[in-house]
Structures are given as C-alpha cells and as structure tokens.
C-alpha cells in the first residue's frame, strides 16, 4: 500500500476533482487490476496536449527515459504522462497537462489538443515508472501545469528535426548518399 502524504493527497484530490465522480477516480487508482490508472476527462480542470513519442524524442535528441525526463523538466516544467503502449501511435504518446483554453491550435496527427469529451488514462500521482502509463513529471501541487508556449516550442522543434531527417527506403540504404555525391560532383 502506498502511503499518502499531504502532497499526494492534494495532487490526487485535484486530479480526481476533474472526474465527474472523484471517488470513482480514487477507487480506480487503488485497484491494481486497473494498473492504478483512472480514466479522467480532459477539459475540466486542465487541457491535455497529446504528442507523439517521435516528436518528443526528435526534439529532445534522445530516447532514454532519464534524458527525456531531464530535458522536459528543464523546458516545460509541468506534469507529463508517458504511455509507451498507446493505441494512438506505434511508439506511444506523451500527454502534457496545460491550463484550460491555452492550446486550441494543435490540430495535427502528431500533436493534438484533447477535447472535453476525451477520457485520459491518468496514473495515480506517485506512479513514476512502467509498466503502463506513468508520470514523466508528476504534478507538484494543485493547478500545476506545463507552460503552453514551451510545449509549442517542443512540438515545433520535433517536427522540424523530423522533417530534416533523410528518408531511407528499405533496401536502398547508402544509395542516396552515392547519388548525392555524384550530383554534387557533376558539372551541369
């Protein structure tokens, strides 16, 4: 059994209060068969930006959980959930909790604002490791949010870095480099 502290009680109350029935959210966190994850709607106490793992890892320039957490802690400074096994993406997604109404412009497949009718799998506040969804950065207090402008910078940087990567066609590795060398050396 996890010992609840004043900190974790305040954070769990804040997150549970976003549920239409806060007691149900707390019961879901207490149920190990449910993975200690409660389904809580986005758009009530916080908005959520879902960002593909490929965007986050490209922006960070790393894939190790420790490096990603350190980078995100320094940049967005707020609560982030990682679900490595999400059905919405081959490699999972990150969920950034942001203040209500600040991020309505994220309308692409790789980064989306979750609407108020979207239910988010929210791990209990002290769950900071796999398996299942976990907090990369857990909320520190009530109304703790990521800085929306910095989440936007992260998304733009990740998209830019992914766009800069050369496309490799299976079976054609190395041939693009040879082709570029021939073109650069050619006199047209």
């Amino acid at each position: 059994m996890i010992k609840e502290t004043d900190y974790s009680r305040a954070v769990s109350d804040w997150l549970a209060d976003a549920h239409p029935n806060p007691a149900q959210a707390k019961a879901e966190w207490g149920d190990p068969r449910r993975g200690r994850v409660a389904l809580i709607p986005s758009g009530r106490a916080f908005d959520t930006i879902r960002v593909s793992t490929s965007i986050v890892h490209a922006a960070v320039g790393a894939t190790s959980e420790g490096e990603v957490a350190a980078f995100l802690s320094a940049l967005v400074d707020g609560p982030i959930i990682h679900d490595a096994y999400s059905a919405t993406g081959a490699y999972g997604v990150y969920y950034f909790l942001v203040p209500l109404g600040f991020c309505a412009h994220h309308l692409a497949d790789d980064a989306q604002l979750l609407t108020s009718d979207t239910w988010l799998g929210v791990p209990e506040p002290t769950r900071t490791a796999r398996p299942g969804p976990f907090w990369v950065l857990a909320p520190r207090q009530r109304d703790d949010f990521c800085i929306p402008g910095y989440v936007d910078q992260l998304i733009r940087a990740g998209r830019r870095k992914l766009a800069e990567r050369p496309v490799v066609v299976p079976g054609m590795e190395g041939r693009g480099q040879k082709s570029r060398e021939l073109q650069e050396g050619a006199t047209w």
Side-chain angles (χ1 to χ4, degrees):
M1 180 90 186
I2 298 171
K3 183 176 185 233
E4 190 171 55
T5 64
D6 289 339
Y7 148 77
S8 63
R9 188 174 13 264
V11 169
S12 64
D13 287 349
W14 171 58
L15 293 169
D17 286 347
H19 193 286
N21 180 355
Q24 180 179 339
K26 289 182 177 185
E28 290 175 7
W29 283 325
D31 186 350
R33 294 171 298 164
R34 295 184 63 91
R36 301 198 187 283
V37 173
L39 290 177
I40 296 178
S42 185
R44 291 177 56 108
F46 50 83
D47 278 341
T48 308
I49 301 173
R50 178 177 55 210
V51 182
S52 72
T53 296
S54 60
I55 290 287
V56 173
H57 290 181
V60 173
T63 59
S64 85
E65 289 177 8
E67 289 177 279
V68 171
F71 183 94
L72 293 176
S73 176
L75 179 66
V76 298
D77 190 36
I80 304 164
I81 299 168
H82 182 50
D83 186 353
Y85 310 109
S86 173
T88 60
Y91 302 106
V93 292
Y94 286 84
Y95 297 97
F96 296 81
L97 275 56
V98 295
L100 290 169
F102 277 84
C103 298
H105 59 283
H106 293 288
L107 302 173
D109 289 340
D110 57 5
Q112 297 176 319
L113 176 67
L114 301 184
T115 61
S116 59
D117 61 347
T118 304
W119 289 72
L120 177 66
V122 177
E124 62 93 13
T126 60
R127 185 185 181 109
T128 57
R130 297 176 193 228
F134 64 94
W135 292 100
V136 174
L137 302 170
R140 298 162 290 205
Q141 61 198 19
R142 291 183 72 87
D143 299 323
D144 188 19
F145 301 110
C146 294
I147 301 167
Y150 292 161
V151 176
D152 193 46
Q153 286 179 5
L154 175 85
I155 293 166
R156 284 194 315 254
R159 286 177 176 159
R160 187 174 51 254
K161 287 181 180 180
L162 286 175
E164 293 169 356
R165 290 183 181 169
V167 176
V168 177
V169 178
M172 299 295 287
E173 296 89 349
R175 294 183 187 186
Q177 179 64 31
K178 188 67 171 167
S179 176
R180 262 192 307 280
E181 290 169 0
L182 290 173
Q183 289 175 0
E184 289 170 359
T187 54
W188 303 98

